[in-house]
Amino acid sequence: MKNNITILLLVSIIMFTNCNAQTKPIGEEPLNLENFNFDTKLLDLYPEKNKNKQFKNFYDIKGTVHSQLVEKDTTYINNYSENKKAIGIEYLQKTSTSIDTMAVFESQQFQKINVGTTIDGKIKVINTVADELSQQECDKLIKKLTSKYGNPKKLKNSWNETFTIYEWTTTNRIIRFVSAFNDESTTMKIVINKENQTLSLGEKETYYVGYLFIINPLLKAEVLGKMKTGDFVFLDEKME
């Protein structure tokens, strides 16, 4: 009987570990951000097989219709001086479609994933982007996070002070969420009519883009105030 209990416990531990580890590459199944393990190996997310055959330092991740492009880029401080120093590596998703789901968090779907690591490859932050959200969808996600983790700290974004960063801190992660209003004023929408073989300007819409950040608290000094490129610009808070 004792041996049977031991076997059952071992099976339970293995099953729990598998459920909480990301073993499939990004794009092959949605990344579950609620229980993401920062000890996940980077090669599990971006394996060698996904390296772009044409362009160096690019990866192809699986999409519903076609693959999406991810760029690997080194980030620096003092970028334009003789004191230039590499401080990390970013994997930035350069293309996306609304029909892809690259990650999920509290049932909210995200179409893009960006990953920041230390120079030696330890994951320090995961960023996901949800496009074309309504105000109600943004409020719903904030309400869920508040219900689960308590009242958030509110910060102003350094890039645009009209954006509010909501921050929750738990024992094993720091969560930040910010939404940005988009009225498509700088977007050109083209409608293609294949039957008539004509092009026309499409109607512009208004919506929010949601930026979610899951930060490794052990490496927060390498994230906060340091990462200011691409979608990570929405992470940076204004210093008082």
Side-chain angles (χ1 to χ4, degrees), residues 75-81 83-85:
T75 55
Y76 301 87
I77 55 172
N78 303 321
N79 200 21
Y80 301 104
S81 76
N83 297 320
K84 178 179 178 180
K85 179 184 177 182

Side-chain angles (χ1 to χ4, degrees), residues 12-91:
S12 297
I13 291 170
I14 292 172
M15 289 180 66
F16 178 82
T17 302
N18 286 340
C19 288
N20 285 276
Q22 172 71 17
T23 56
K24 290 189 177 181
I26 290 175
E28 291 191 12
E29 69 176 20
L31 184 65
N32 187 338
L33 298 174
E34 291 180 61
N35 55 16
F36 179 78
N37 187 344
F38 284 107
D39 291 328
T40 299
K41 301 300 182 184
L42 196 64
L43 281 174
D44 289 341
L45 304 181
Y46 302 104
E48 290 290 318
K49 68 176 183 177
N50 283 4
K51 282 189 172 181
N52 186 280
K53 303 298 188 295
Q54 186 176 1
F55 301 108
K56 184 180 179 181
N57 293 329
F58 280 85
Y59 291 79
D60 297 310
I61 57 176
K62 185 179 179 182
T64 303
V65 177
H66 55 75
S67 62
Q68 306 297 340
L69 201 60
V70 172
E71 180 182 15
K72 177 183 177 182
D73 192 24
T74 303
T75 55
Y76 301 87
I77 55 172
N78 303 321
N79 200 21
Y80 301 104
S81 76
E82 60 182 17
N83 297 320
K84 178 179 178 180
K85 179 184 177 182
I87 60 170
I89 298 172
E90 295 177 359
Y91 294 78

